[in-house]
Amino acid sequence: MSFLANIGAATLGFIAVIGRISIFAFQTVSHHVRPPFYPREFVHQLMYIGYLSLPVVGLTALFTGGALALQIYSGGARFNAEAVVPSIVAIGMVRELGPVLGGLMVAGRVAASVAAEIGTMKVTEQIDALVTLSTHPMKYLTVPRVLAATLTLPILVAIGDIIGIMGGFLVGITRLEFNAGAYMSNTIDFLETGDVVSGLVKAAVFGFIVALMGCYHGMHSGRGAQGVGRATTNAVVSASILILGSNYILTEVFFSA
Amino acid sequence: MIELQDVSKAFGSKEILRGINLRVESGESMVIIGGSGTGKSVMLKCVLGLIHPDSGTILLDGEDVEEAERDPFLAKFGMLFQGGALFDSLTVWQNVAFRLLRGSLKRPTEEARAIAIEKLRRVGLTADVADQFPAELSGGMQKRVGLARAIAAEPEVIFFDEPTTGLDPIMAGVINELIREIVVEMGATAMTITHDMTSVRAIADKVAMLHNGKIRWTGPIAQMDDAEDPYLSQFIRGSAEGPIEAVR
């Protein structure tokens, strides 16, 4: 009986967390369209979340594109299909690996730091101080971060896609003896607008998820160093799981037909 | 004037405030004393609307704080937090002028900076700290910056949460004197929570003792030492013997 009770309690707890996150997400979206706005905070977050994440996303894409070219060449060689390397690298990067790996890398960097920063602010009463200074914490802390992440991740992923395809190209012409012109032409010919758009939409959704999870767990951080540490871990884990889950749903929406 | 009428607050099954009745007149400096965990901070946060009481009414100049419009209501308050609660990402002057850089009290940046530097001078800090970050300052300097921020917008009511905690006795004395001077100079209503009896004697016009979620004793500072309440006497003497249970 206690076994069933434990399962019931865990299920109810899980549903309660989903409810709280949904309400938090709804409130965040509603605050996006209601003044006051904090443009200076937004610009600061654009720099921090967008510009400073570029090296991480770029390096991830470069190595992934290179490894993908090697894998596809090696697999394709089993049925004489080595020529598909450029098109599969491009489609794989733009549709899946660019947004998903970019999202996961930004989750590791941004969700963790946002949760730690806001969690520390909560523990040291800085959030209470914001309220007493007539500033809504959600407008001042959450909205600029969520908006900045939602807008910058598609740009980061677009740059990451180009770098990833270049990684595949470099491996293709240096290690796999592809002709440079033919590789580029194959890449461009097979890539469709829908592939790029679907990847960028995914990136925007992942950006929203990353910042939302960072802010949610920071705002709900427990007391002390342990509370902030737990909030940081939960932010990264939940953002990563939600990115992978929503990636499947978005893939169904875009490509199931 | 601030008035609390039968204010109660519980967290889960734990009752923190159990029918608080307290009146603080305009321009008066009221110090709330009591042991750790007796609900002093919760009471202050209830007045500010950071925590909503389960029952009872809190009035500011006769208006129910729960029904007051938040922005103009909060503009009447300044608060010095226990740990300073300065924003790490902002410089000292930006912390002090926070309220003056945004919202309904927004001023041009240069004017806000000038006011911030003037307030920093008022609390004994020179203009060269204005562009430093809070992490670069000592604990005592951070408290002064917190005090400058609390008074920057010339509030009608100032709250001080454990203003001398973590400071050496000399710096604590300086902060106590500053608080007293500023409150008198501004004519503001002040509510201070502390268990530092030196602070109480330096800051208070009136004292209220909170114990077990209720106001045990309240009266002018001049009557505190002669009061016959055994809880208050034990607290003032700092004795382990008495009705307040001390865990050894």
Side-chain angles (χ1 to χ4, degrees):
Chain A
M1 192 63 189
S2 74
F3 175 70
L4 286 175
N6 287 339
I7 291 176
T11 307
L12 288 175
F14 181 67
I15 292 168
V17 168
I18 291 174
R20 278 198 291 270
I21 291 175
S22 302
I23 291 168
F24 189 81
F26 178 77
Q27 286 174 337
T28 301
V29 172
S30 78
H31 279 295
H32 274 77
V33 291
R34 287 186 286 151
F37 305 112
Y38 297 101
R40 191 174 293 182
E41 275 302 298
F42 172 64
V43 171
H44 178 72
Q45 294 306 323
L46 278 181
M47 288 297 289
Y48 178 72
I49 296 172
Y51 183 67
L52 295 179
S53 295
L54 199 51
V56 175
V57 173
L59 282 172
T60 306
L62 182 70
F63 292 124
T64 304
L68 194 59
L70 286 174
Q71 288 281 17
I72 294 164
Y73 185 84
S74 153
R78 293 177 193 168
F79 38 90
N80 297 321
E82 295 95 330
V84 298
V85 169
S87 49
I88 301 290
V89 166
I91 290 170
M93 280 306 301
V94 169
R95 280 189 181 186
E96 278 296 319
L97 294 173
V100 172
L101 290 182
L104 291 174
M105 293 310 287
V106 173
R109 197 183 97 78
V110 173
S113 77
V114 167
E117 183 185 6
I118 296 180
T120 305
M121 286 183 77
K122 189 185 176 202
V123 169
T124 56
E125 293 186 304
Q126 290 178 51
I127 305 271
D128 285 344
L130 275 179
V131 177
T132 63
L133 293 164
S134 308
T135 304
H136 199 300
M138 198 160 242
K139 287 186 190 297
Y140 186 73
L141 298 172
T142 306
V143 169
R145 284 164 175 77
V146 171
L147 188 60
T150 307
L151 293 179
T152 55
L153 210 64
I155 299 169
L156 278 173
V157 165
I159 296 169
D161 288 346
I162 295 167
I163 295 173
I165 290 169
M166 286 307 294
F169 171 78
L170 290 173
V171 169
I173 61 167
T174 57
R175 297 265 294 104
L176 309 175
E177 297 174 354
F178 273 86
N179 173 276
Y183 191 104
M184 285 314 293
S185 143
N186 260 352
T187 300
I188 293 162
D189 288 347
F190 279 92
L191 209 54
E192 292 176 2
T193 309
D195 299 327
V196 179
V197 170
S198 69
L200 298 184
V201 170
K202 282 182 178 181
V205 173
F206 299 163
F208 179 82
I209 288 170
V210 165
L212 190 79
M213 287 299 98
C215 293
Y216 173 81
H217 288 287
M219 291 278 192
H220 293 83
S221 167
R223 288 182 179 185
Q226 199 175 30
V228 176
R230 197 170 290 141
T232 308
T233 307
N234 289 342
V236 176
V237 170
S238 57
S240 303
I241 290 170
L242 284 174
I243 284 172
L244 296 171
S246 60
N247 178 55
Y248 174 76
I249 294 167
L250 288 169
T251 306
E252 281 277 8
V253 170
F254 281 115
F255 303 108
S256 64
Chain B
M1 183 190 68
I2 302 167
E3 192 170 1
L4 289 87
Q5 299 171 342
D6 282 324
V7 173
S8 297
K9 178 69 191 174
F11 294 105
S13 59
K14 194 173 179 187
E15 287 184 282
I16 306 296
L17 303 179
R18 302 194 301 168
I20 295 281
N21 288 293
L22 187 68
R23 190 182 166 102
V24 186
E25 299 295 338
S26 295
E28 187 175 78
S29 176
M30 169 69 81
V31 175
I32 320 287
I33 58 173
S36 301
T38 49
K40 303 190 295 296
S41 293
V42 172
M43 191 175 90
L44 224 56
K45 286 179 179 179
C46 282
V47 178
L48 281 168
L50 295 172
I51 294 173
H52 297 284
D54 297 332
S55 62
T57 309
I58 301 171
L59 304 172
L60 176 69
D61 296 330
E63 188 188 7
D64 190 336
V65 302
E66 291 286 318
E67 290 164 14
E69 205 184 327
R70 290 303 287 166
D71 228 27
F73 169 74
L74 286 168
K76 294 177 181 173
F77 288 88
M79 179 154 180
L80 171 62
F81 285 85
Q82 188 174 346
L86 301 175
F87 305 122
D88 304 320
S89 58
L90 302 180
T91 60
V92 164
W93 84 264
Q94 288 169 333
N95 264 283
V96 175
F98 191 91
R99 205 195 274 273
L100 307 175
L101 290 169
R102 44 186 72 75
S104 57
L105 300 175
K106 188 173 179 176
R107 314 270 176 95
T109 307
E110 281 312 307
E111 189 186 337
R113 184 183 161 90
I115 293 171
I117 289 174
E118 174 52 33
K119 297 299 176 190
L120 286 169
R121 281 211 185 90
R122 181 64 196 89
V123 298
L125 293 172
T126 52
D128 57 346
V129 301
D131 293 312
Q132 292 185 324
F133 284 91
E136 298 172 72
L137 306 179
S138 67
M141 289 168 90
Q142 287 186 17
K143 275 272 159 85
R144 288 179 193 230
V145 175
L147 185 53
R149 185 174 69 182
I151 62 171
E154 313 246 325
E156 294 170 27
V157 183
I158 314 178
F159 288 167
F160 302 98
D161 185 359
E162 307 277 5
T164 55
T165 296
L167 300 180
D168 66 69
I170 295 169
M171 185 52 71
V174 170
I175 294 289
N176 285 336
E177 273 180 32
L178 270 172
I179 288 173
R180 186 69 214 177
E181 281 172 23
I182 285 167
V183 168
V184 170
E185 190 178 292
M186 291 174 62
T189 307
M191 270 178 90
T192 307
I193 56 176
T194 185
H195 29 59
D196 175 358
M197 292 312 296
T198 312
S199 281
V200 177
R201 294 178 201 286
I203 297 171
D205 292 327
K206 283 179 84 176
V207 178
M209 184 186 178
L210 190 61
H211 179 71
N212 209 12
K214 290 191 168 184
I215 299 290
R216 280 286 321 176
W217 183 88
T218 184
I221 180 72
Q223 293 174 13
M224 183 180 73
D225 288 319
D226 300 327
E228 289 178 359
D229 186 276
Y231 290 82
L232 180 65
S233 300
Q234 184 190 354
F235 193 85
I236 295 169
R237 283 185 283 109
S239 169
E241 304 299 326
I244 303 173
E245 284 179 35
V247 179
R248 297 194 191 200

